[in-house]
């Protein structure tokens, strides 16, 4: 925003559209936090674009008073990539669900992550297809009874964070719809990161998968089950009077230790730049382990749109203005008789 313009506030990012999510849907809380963080970023509103696919979560662009595309199922990441390449000065956001981003759109998502365009991806994980009324998704749990798995889900789910790390994403974080401050700080970190930032947001769908994240979001259980990560700090969790830690066992597997009987040096320190530790954290599974929340990986790698722009500039200086006819008629040509 230029110095002369008035500072924007949350309401400036609220569109005139009626929000059409079910009462109690976690999407409301996420929308509210995004609208709250936007004015703090000092990005001109006309330079912000939200791109989504199809799903309840993908209705997001309608509700943001910015530019946006409600695009094609699974293709938000591909469309956002094209947009960022053509208009690198824009702040491009992808909003997707576990169905949109990991089923039909799984292929596009992994290639965005490895290419590292400077795009922010928010994946709302409610472990179900909400819009189409409750079929199981690639993050639904084995045995889960859904509309399309009346006898229980038979396939093994993706761990979203492991998938993003495996695709070589340079920034991977996890947060929860109800953790307003934490969600805001993850959004801010994502924007600060240069390269693709991927945030998994655990999101409750009260209609088709209510309470899927009760252990991490419930008032009585969250403290026991959230491992809140901070760079350089030990992996500690649980209430003050019953602190627990995460350590590396002799067989190199993770172990929960009681801090009453364990020296703090034995507990692992979080390091956002340590790739092996990121994978280790992403494999901590409930109910044996707490759920890691926060920035799991943040590292630098060349940014795709910058590499492509530099290539184009070099080609122009070395080869001069392109001539389409010369290109079309040059090289190997042949006549079909
Ligand atoms: C090509 C195509 N295939 C299937 C669908 C049906 N469909 C619409 S949304 C959706 C899944 C949405 O699930 P998710 O991304 O988890 O979003 P949620 O609704 O839970 O936010 C499906 C399968 C479609 N719209 N287009
Ligand atoms: S179906 Fe679930 S995800 Fe979709 S709007 Fe309703 S509560 Fe939200």
């Amino acid at each position: 925003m230029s110095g002369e313009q008035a500072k924007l506030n949350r309401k400036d990012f609220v569109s005139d559209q009626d929000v059409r999510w079910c009462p109690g849907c976690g999407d409301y809380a996420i929308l509210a936090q995004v609208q709250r963080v936007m004015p703090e970023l000092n990005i001109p509103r006309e330079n912000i674009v939200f791109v989504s696919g199809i799903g309840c979560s993908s209705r997001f662009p309608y509700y943001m008073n910015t530019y946006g595309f409600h695009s094609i199922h699974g293709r938000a990441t591909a469309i956002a990539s094209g947009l960022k390449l053509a208009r690198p000065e824009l702040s491009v956001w992808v909003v997707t669900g576990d169905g949109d981003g990991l089923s039909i759109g799984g292929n596009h998502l992994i290639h965005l992550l490895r290419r590292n365009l400077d795009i922010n991806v928010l994946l709302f994980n409610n472990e179900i297809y909400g819009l189409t009324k409750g079929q199981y998704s690639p993050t639904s749990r084995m045995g889960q009874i859904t509309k399309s798995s009346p006898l229980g889900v038979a396939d093994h789910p993706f761990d979203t964070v492991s998938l993003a790390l495996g695709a070589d994403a340079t920034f991977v974080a996890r947060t929860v719809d109800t953790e307003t401050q934490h969600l805001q700080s993850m959004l801010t970190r994502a924007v600060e990161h240069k390269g693709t930032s991927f945030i998994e947001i655990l999101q409750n769908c009260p209609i088709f998968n209510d309470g899927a994240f009760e252990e991490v979001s419930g008032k009585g259980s969250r403290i026991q089950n959230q491992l809140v990560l901070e760079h350089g700090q030990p992996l500690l969790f649980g209430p003050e009077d019953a602190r627990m830690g995460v350590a590396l066992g002799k067989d190199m597997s993770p172990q929960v230790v009681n801090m009453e009987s364990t020296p703090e040096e034995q507990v692992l320190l979080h390091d956002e730049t340590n790739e092996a530790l990121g994978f280790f954290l992403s494999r901590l599974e409930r109910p044996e382990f707490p759920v890691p929340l926060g920035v799991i990986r943040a590292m630098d790698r060349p940014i795709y749109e910058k590499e492509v722009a530099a290539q184009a500039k070099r080609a122009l200086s070395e080869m001069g203005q392109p001539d389409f006819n010369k290109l079309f008629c040059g090289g190997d040509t042949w006549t079909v008789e």
Side-chain angles (χ1 to χ4, degrees):
M1 192 196 311
S2 81
E4 298 87 57
Q5 278 178 294
K7 182 153 173 45
L8 298 177
N9 62 42
R10 186 189 69 80
K11 285 196 183 142
D12 293 312
F13 287 90
V14 177
S15 81
D16 60 1
Q17 299 296 299
D18 289 339
V19 184
R20 298 214 184 130
W21 287 315
C22 309
C25 177
D27 292 358
Y28 285 99
I30 305 171
L31 176 66
Q33 299 329 312
V34 173
Q35 288 169 334
R36 211 156 262 143
V37 163
M38 280 291 145
E40 307 305 319
L41 304 177
N42 288 327
I43 303 169
R45 215 164 28 154
E46 62 273 20
N47 279 1
I48 302 173
V49 190
F50 279 81
V51 186
S52 68
I54 302 291
C56 299
S57 36
S58 289
R59 296 189 58 76
F60 206 90
Y62 292 124
Y63 308 139
M64 291 298 299
N65 193 15
T66 61
Y67 283 101
F69 288 82
H70 184 196
S71 77
I72 312 168
H73 199 25
R75 315 296 176 219
T77 36
I79 291 166
S81 300
L83 178 63
K84 187 69 185 178
L85 262 180
R87 296 284 307 276
E89 76 280 15
L90 299 181
S91 172
V92 178
W93 297 71
V94 168
V95 174
T96 185
D98 42 301
D100 186 68
L102 300 176
S103 291
I104 192 167
N107 200 351
H108 294 298
L109 177 70
I110 56 176
H111 294 294
L112 166 61
L113 297 177
R114 79 178 168 83
R115 284 189 181 121
N116 201 34
L117 283 99
D118 193 9
I119 290 175
N120 309 301
V121 182
L122 310 181
L123 189 140
F124 297 13
N125 183 7
N126 55 16
E127 298 186 351
I128 201 83
Y129 291 176
L131 187 77
T132 45
K133 304 203 182 307
Q135 299 82 4
Y136 71 90
S137 87
T139 57
S140 298
R141 301 176 202 185
M142 283 191 84
Q144 191 173 323
I145 307 289
T146 73
K147 294 274 169 63
S148 57
S149 59
L151 301 180
V153 172
D155 47 296
H156 179 77
F158 274 139
D159 176 88
T160 311
V161 165
S162 298
L163 182 86
L165 295 175
D168 271 350
T170 53
F171 180 97
V172 181
R174 183 192 278 137
T175 187
V176 187
D177 54 5
T178 48
E179 295 291 339
T180 52
Q181 297 297 323
H182 192 262
L183 177 44
Q184 285 179 31
S185 70
M186 291 303 104
L187 294 168
T188 309
R189 283 289 311 271
V191 174
E192 285 165 1
H193 177 72
K194 298 291 163 237
T196 309
S197 56
F198 176 86
I199 308 180
E200 178 192 29
I201 307 174
L202 306 181
Q203 174 247 323
N204 194 37
C205 167
I207 305 298
F208 296 112
N209 199 15
D210 194 23
F213 306 107
E214 184 60 24
E215 302 113 299
V216 270
S217 58
K219 273 202 180 112
S221 53
R222 54 189 281 283
I223 187 95
Q224 309 279 358
N225 292 304
Q226 292 187 359
L227 174 61
V228 182
L229 305 171
E230 277 184 53
H231 186 62
Q233 296 301 313
L235 301 180
L236 297 173
F237 66 102
E240 283 309 317
D241 57 350
R243 284 304 254 175
M244 308 293 274
V246 178
L248 192 60
K250 284 205 181 95
D251 61 354
M252 306 296 278
S253 60
Q255 266 187 358
V256 169
V257 293
N258 188 328
M259 296 315 294
E260 249 182 35
S261 52
T262 311
E264 198 168 297
E265 308 82 75
Q266 281 188 23
V267 173
L268 289 166
L269 292 183
H270 185 45
D271 178 355
E272 297 169 353
T273 65
N274 181 332
E275 293 191 50
L277 182 68
F279 280 110
F280 175 92
L281 290 169
S282 78
R283 304 317 288 177
L284 298 184
E285 282 183 14
R286 296 167 292 181
E288 200 185 343
F289 295 101
V291 177
L293 300 179
V295 177
I296 292 158
R297 177 192 285 170
M299 55 190 279
D300 291 329
R301 208 173 59 232
I303 293 167
Y304 183 73
E305 66 269 22
K306 288 199 172 152
E307 296 293 301
V308 171
Q311 230 174 45
K313 200 171 162 198
R314 204 172 60 237
L316 209 58
S317 79
E318 286 170 11
M319 297 184 253
Q321 282 297 331
D323 178 336
F324 179 75
N325 277 334
K326 214 168 119 194
L327 178 70
F328 191 64
C329 301
D332 290 339
T333 59
W334 63 92
T335 307
V336 179
E337 293 183 345

